[in-house]
Amino acid sequence: MKILTAAQTRALDQATIQEQGITSAQLMERAASAFVEWLSHQFDSNEAGEILLLCGPGNNGGDGLAAARLLHQAGYAVRVALLPAEKQSADWQHNRQQLPAAVPVAEMEAEKLPEIASGTLVVDALFGTGLSRPLEGLAAAVVRHLNKAQARVVAIDLPSGLFAEAPQPADSAVVRAQHTVSFGLPKLAFLLPQNADFVGAWHVEDIGLSKRFINETATPWHYTDAAAVAGALPPRPKFSHKGTFGHALLLAGSRGKMGAAVLAAGACLRGGVGLLTAHVPGCGYDIFQISQPEAMCLPDPQVAYLSKLPKLDAYQAVGIGPGLGQAEATYTVLRKLLKNAAKSTEKRPTPLPLVIDADALNLLGSHRALLKLLPENTILTPHPKEFERLTEPARDDYHRLELLRDFATAHRCLVVLKGAYTCLATPTGELHFNSTGNAGMATGGSGDVLTGVLLALRAHAQLPAFEAVRLSVYAHGRAGDLAAVHTGQAGLVAGDIVRHIGPALAEVQAQI
Ligand SMILES: NC(=O)C1=CN([C@@H]2O[C@H](COP(=O)(O)OP(=O)(O)OC[C@H]3O[C@@H](n4cnc5c(N)ncnc54)[C@H](OP(=O)(O)O)[C@@H]3O)[C@@H](O)[C@H]2O)[C@@H](O)CC1
Ligand SMILES: [K+]
């Protein structure tokens, strides 16, 4: 699913109106009906009580006025508070005229802000994508008044005061909504942690916007939903054998952190790899062999950490990092791996696919000269702190996305920035936000599991790099969601994610 800017969204409205031969008031009616349908599913008229709709002067306010009429007609008790302005949009005026006289309407004033009793259901229809500057004066006072009340707030399209794709100055007034109901496509602002308290739970309602316009409009931002990955995993041919799905090498573990190696290996096996060999420090040999009998194991001559790089000829992908530690000898292993993976051979004309995680990322951060050795299409999986060590501290979440995009394009690699909406940056500068996963996955070992899935799907001969990474991230989150059904979020551990990778991948497997 694409994510568009506010300006592109306005053009999308216009394209829809022209293409479908409807008026802008009819499109507004669709938006308001979709909103009212969502609201009435959520709250019946008893639960809702008297609903207060705060309406601004533009089309967001127009949506609010149309919603007030539809709610009134559906038997809800409503009252409207208008934000005074010099001019109102044409569709606002149309819907103001259509509002039945039985609906109480008041104009807000600085000294006469609407009373909002605790628990009141408030619809925020002050400003949407037309916000052109931070709120001040009466508008800011209304928003602060609303945020102080103990109200249940549902925002139409965007919480008022929030820009759709840019940061607002610190301390500016923004509505804190429990729910945001938007139309057609999600907005970039919904996906960033710094906006979580404003946006609340967000929902996107279909209002029949022009598919042609969406297809033809270029954007760097994408949202990976079920439709984006449906059928992405090729079916396993009947006459396949273990060689068909690649042989992966995992370099992982150090004394006290063998669990990371075991989890990554388990995830790689459940991710469908044909063969897996793990290279682990001597102290991890028994641990690994006993806990992963399906994998092969090469012990390093060093007991506590990795000091040698095995020959790479037999492998289709290599993962390095989980539980690795940052010993000097291990840094040498990483440097050698980057150099050898980049070399083309007769059997392998392109670089050997690599997945770099955890301490291998920290080693890259502390030896940045290694960055220029990264083979094309290498996958890096930092969390925000690890990413900062590779680049610089970000001013805010929007700046972090810029840094992410710059890093992926400069180093021609795929960077998976882990978080609630894990963001995959591609060498061409696209950003793909993942839709699956839950807060239960914020637990030790989750990242090691992702590395294992990535390793399996990168070893898969039929999956190009980008598809393999997007699918791995999606399936990892989905496995966490399936696991949480049984464990609850608090009870979820990384091993539960491993056990649900198979079912998650089965959901996205192409059917023939
Ligand atoms: N996308 C869709 O598919 C559909 C979208 N629809 C809806 O339309 C909404 C967008 O409507 P919109 O363009 O009229 O903008 P909106 O947010 O109402 O505000 C504009 C007004 O606010 C003013 N203003 C701006 N900033 C201000 C400030 N800081 N302080 C004070 N004033 C400020 C601005 O004035 P100006 O900037 O010109 O001074 C102008 O008067 C969209 O979010 C969705 O709800 C649906 O109806 C149909 C389907
Ligand atoms: K709003």
Side-chain angles (χ1 to χ4, degrees), residues 295-309:
M296 291 167 280
C297 190
L298 299 171
D300 193 275
Q302 276 292 344
V303 175
Y305 51 82
L306 290 185
S307 66
K308 291 272 180 290
L309 180 69

Side-chain angles (χ1 to χ4, degrees), residues 151-500:
R152 296 173 287 168
V153 182
V154 181
I156 300 187
D157 208 24
L158 265 174
S160 298
L162 190 70
F163 291 111
E165 70 265 347
Q168 67 285 340
D171 303 331
S172 54
V174 182
V175 165
R176 290 174 185 273
Q178 271 88 60
H179 293 276
T180 297
V181 181
S182 194
F183 308 116
L185 302 170
K187 299 185 164 58
L188 184 65
F190 297 173
L191 307 177
L192 303 182
Q194 71 185 52
N195 298 328
D197 288 348
F198 306 127
V199 176
W202 57 269
H203 318 270
V204 172
E205 297 299 310
D206 183 11
I207 57 167
L209 296 170
S210 168
K211 287 199 172 58
R212 181 195 56 78
F213 183 91
I214 295 170
N215 287 339
E216 288 172 3
T217 302
T219 174
W221 307 319
H222 303 263
Y223 188 61
T224 307
D225 55 4
V229 293
L233 186 65
R236 285 171 94 89
K238 187 166 193 171
F239 295 101
S240 48
H241 53 86
K242 65 190 178 209
T244 314
F245 301 102
H247 188 172
L249 173 68
L250 176 67
L251 304 168
S254 58
R255 193 193 292 285
K257 290 187 183 161
M258 282 309 299
V262 170
L263 284 165
C268 184
L269 291 162
R270 294 292 184 184
V273 78
L275 289 168
L276 172 64
T277 296
H279 179 66
V280 302
C283 69
Y285 184 70
D286 288 351
I287 299 169
F288 191 86
Q289 285 288 67
I290 293 165
S291 29
Q292 294 297 358
E294 295 89 350
M296 291 167 280
C297 190
L298 299 171
D300 193 275
Q302 276 292 344
V303 175
Y305 51 82
L306 290 185
S307 66
K308 291 272 180 290
L309 180 69
K311 281 189 121 183
L312 299 178
D313 305 345
Y315 306 109
Q316 280 72 57
V318 180
I320 181 165
L324 199 64
Q326 298 183 51
E328 191 59 28
T330 310
Y331 153 71
T332 315
V333 173
L334 175 63
R335 196 185 56 197
K336 235 174 156 180
L337 172 67
L338 298 182
K339 282 191 167 167
N340 291 357
K343 284 183 203 152
S344 55
T345 63
E346 213 174 294
K347 266 174 67 188
R348 183 176 45 72
T350 52
L352 178 61
L354 298 182
V355 184
I356 301 185
D357 183 30
D359 273 335
L361 293 170
N362 291 329
L363 284 169
L364 278 182
S366 51
H367 301 82
R368 289 206 192 173
L370 291 184
L371 291 176
K372 56 178 185 302
L373 299 180
L374 288 175
E376 194 177 346
N377 281 335
T378 292
I379 302 159
L380 292 90
T381 60
H383 54 59
K385 266 272 166 285
E386 287 165 343
F387 182 63
E388 201 168 277
R389 289 182 200 125
L390 294 171
T391 54
E392 59 184 271
R395 288 190 302 276
D396 57 36
D397 295 339
Y398 293 93
H399 182 220
R400 188 174 294 104
L401 290 184
E402 271 174 46
L403 294 173
L404 182 67
R405 220 177 147 186
D406 291 349
F407 186 94
T409 50
H411 298 288
R412 298 162 66 84
C413 56
L414 295 137
V415 189
V416 176
L417 182 67
K418 294 184 278 199
Y421 296 101
T422 290
C423 182
L424 160 61
T426 69
T428 54
E430 288 182 358
L431 297 176
H432 294 259
F433 295 85
N434 186 48
S435 61
T436 55
N438 62 80
M441 297 172 77
T443 183
S446 272
D448 306 320
V449 174
L450 175 61
T451 297
V453 183
L454 283 163
L455 183 57
L457 295 188
R458 261 319 258 142
H460 194 300
Q462 282 162 276
L463 283 173
F466 165 70
E467 274 77 13
V469 180
R470 183 173 61 170
L471 176 56
S472 299
V473 172
Y474 180 90
H476 173 254
R478 184 72 187 127
D481 291 341
L482 294 173
V485 172
H486 303 286
T487 63
Q489 292 192 4
L492 186 79
V493 296
D496 299 322
I497 308 172
V498 174
R499 282 185 281 283
H500 288 84

Side-chain angles (χ1 to χ4, degrees), residues 86-110:
E86 273 171 25
K87 60 173 178 23
Q88 286 88 10
S89 72
D91 293 330
W92 184 100
Q93 288 171 4
H94 167 79
N95 278 296
R96 176 68 188 90
Q97 280 157 16
Q98 298 296 312
L99 195 65
V103 174
V105 180
E107 194 154 280
M108 292 185 271
E109 293 171 35

